[in-house]
Amino acid sequence: MRIAFMGAGGLGGYFGARLCRGGAEVHFIARGDHLRALQSDGLRVEGPEPMHIERVNATDDPARVGPVDFVMLGVKLWDTETAIEQMRPMVGPDTTIISFQNGVLKDRYLRDAFDASRIMGGLGYVATTIDRPGVIRQTGPMQRLIFGEFDGSRSSRGEALLGACLDGGINAELSANILREIWKKYVFLVGLSATTATIRRPIGPIRENPQTRAFFYDLMREVVAVGRAQGVDLAGDYADTALAFGDSVADDMYASMYHDLERGKPLEVRWLSGGVVELGEAGGVPTPLNRAVADILALHAAGTPRKT
């Protein structure tokens, strides 16, 4: 199986390394110092289960890779349009495309660019970041990939990818309701990103303080209401489930949007809390808290490079 990752960051680098370990032919599309480190020293994962893939296929030119079986999209959401254009040389007659990006608007962009039959839904859970060029740091044991056909069928391509993931030690699942799974992650991610980025504290103190805990919970309630208005099969009390999950994660957990904010990088707020606002307006669902988060972070959304 030939698999290409558009983006070799925390998610793409980690799961790509595991797929390499399982025997898949993996190609990483990367850039800059990270690309050069991958080409010279391979890919390292540090953390609970360290790995070193000594030789990896890494390039900044998708045309050198050619058509593959799967293209996995793992770039930040603001790079989606560019990534879609860059990956076209890797999309052949039998290529399947899966976005493991955040949010619920991502697959709309893929359908606008490619035939819908090429697209499967996907999401990933893993706490990772690029620690330094060529090195992915995993900060907790959680790692999981979920993917599936949007019509709920159990396809041969889904089974093949599941087998490759399991061979690499990935906690993978082929879902019969991938849209619901994507929204379940969206509920929690919006709450985590909105609170940790605006309050500038990790989840531990946020969930312990009654006022900030209520803020976290009510942000997620808005997402659930918007999803249900969109016809997604979410339980009306799913925010309670997401809150319980928030109580189970490590005290020092931040959303990646917090780290991007601290580093002066662009933020995914337009597609996270901003996406809730956009879809809420379309469905007639009020989203005042997510609108407040989008407004608070608006001046940082494009990135704020640090002065030297």
Side-chain angles (χ1 to χ4, degrees):
M1 181 177 290
R2 303 185 80 231
I3 300 173
F5 276 89
M6 287 297 300
L11 184 143
Y14 177 82
F15 288 114
R18 284 208 165 271
L19 285 163
C20 285
R21 175 170 280 190
E25 180 187 328
V26 179
H27 296 263
F28 296 99
I29 309 302
R31 59 193 177 192
D33 291 342
H34 191 49
L35 170 61
R36 288 185 283 274
L38 294 175
Q39 291 173 330
S40 61
D41 302 320
L43 175 59
R44 292 183 183 272
V45 175
E46 297 179 346
E49 297 181 68
M51 291 179 281
H52 182 203
I53 311 300
E54 295 183 3
R55 297 181 62 86
V56 298
N57 302 304
T59 181
D60 59 0
D61 182 7
R64 298 183 61 182
V65 178
V68 295
D69 298 305
F70 286 90
V71 174
M72 310 296 206
L73 190 56
V75 301
K76 291 288 189 177
L77 287 162
W78 61 79
D79 274 338
T80 301
E81 184 177 345
T82 299
I84 285 174
E85 291 307 311
Q86 288 178 336
M87 72 189 192
R88 289 186 184 277
M90 301 189 299
V91 180
D94 300 311
T95 301
T96 300
I97 306 165
I98 307 178
S99 169
F100 288 101
Q101 298 165 288
N102 291 326
V104 297
L105 300 174
K106 58 197 180 80
D107 296 303
R108 177 190 299 179
Y109 308 140
L110 289 179
R111 292 191 190 98
D112 288 343
F114 302 99
D115 189 282
S117 65
R118 294 185 178 278
I119 301 163
M120 292 177 66
L123 65 150
Y125 293 95
V126 67
T128 50
T129 188
I130 298 178
D131 186 75
R132 54 195 185 277
V135 180
I136 306 298
R137 175 165 294 281
Q138 184 184 11
T139 57
M142 177 179 63
Q143 57 98 345
R144 189 181 181 201
L145 281 185
I146 307 174
F147 43 88
E149 303 288 352
F150 282 103
D151 65 4
S153 64
R154 198 169 180 93
S155 64
S156 58
R157 63 183 180 178
E159 294 280 7
L161 181 58
L162 178 64
C165 289
L166 296 177
D167 287 345
I170 297 172
N171 296 323
E173 176 186 340
L174 185 55
S175 173
N177 194 337
I178 192 61
L179 183 61
R180 179 174 62 192
E181 294 297 333
I182 290 171
W183 271 86
K184 285 166 65 176
K185 179 183 178 182
Y186 190 48
V187 171
F188 178 73
L189 181 61
V190 166
L192 182 70
S193 64
T195 53
T196 59
T198 58
I199 299 172
R200 314 289 178 92
R201 297 293 301 279
I203 189 62
I206 289 170
R207 67 191 179 199
E208 294 302 320
N209 178 280
Q211 191 169 353
T212 54
R213 181 182 181 87
F215 180 48
F216 178 44
Y217 177 60
D218 289 339
L219 282 161
M220 295 190 293
R221 288 181 63 198
E222 288 184 0
V223 187
V224 172
V226 169
R228 286 170 60 83
Q230 291 279 316
V232 182
D233 182 22
L234 279 173
D237 62 352
Y238 184 71
D240 295 89
T241 302
L243 184 65
F245 178 70
D247 285 332
S248 73
V249 301
D251 287 350
D252 60 352
M253 184 177 187
Y254 287 93
S256 62
M257 192 165 78
Y258 165 83
H259 296 296
D260 289 336
L261 178 65
E262 287 295 297
R263 295 167 182 168
K265 294 183 176 181
L267 308 181
E268 293 187 323
V269 65
R270 170 186 160 192
W271 299 272
L272 297 180
S273 284
V276 178
V277 174
E278 177 183 337
L279 294 173
E281 289 176 346
V285 179
T287 56
L289 295 184
N290 279 285
R291 175 173 290 281
V293 169
D295 292 347
I296 289 167
L297 296 176
L299 295 182
H300 304 277
T304 53
R306 297 293 188 253
K307 294 181 180 180
T308 56

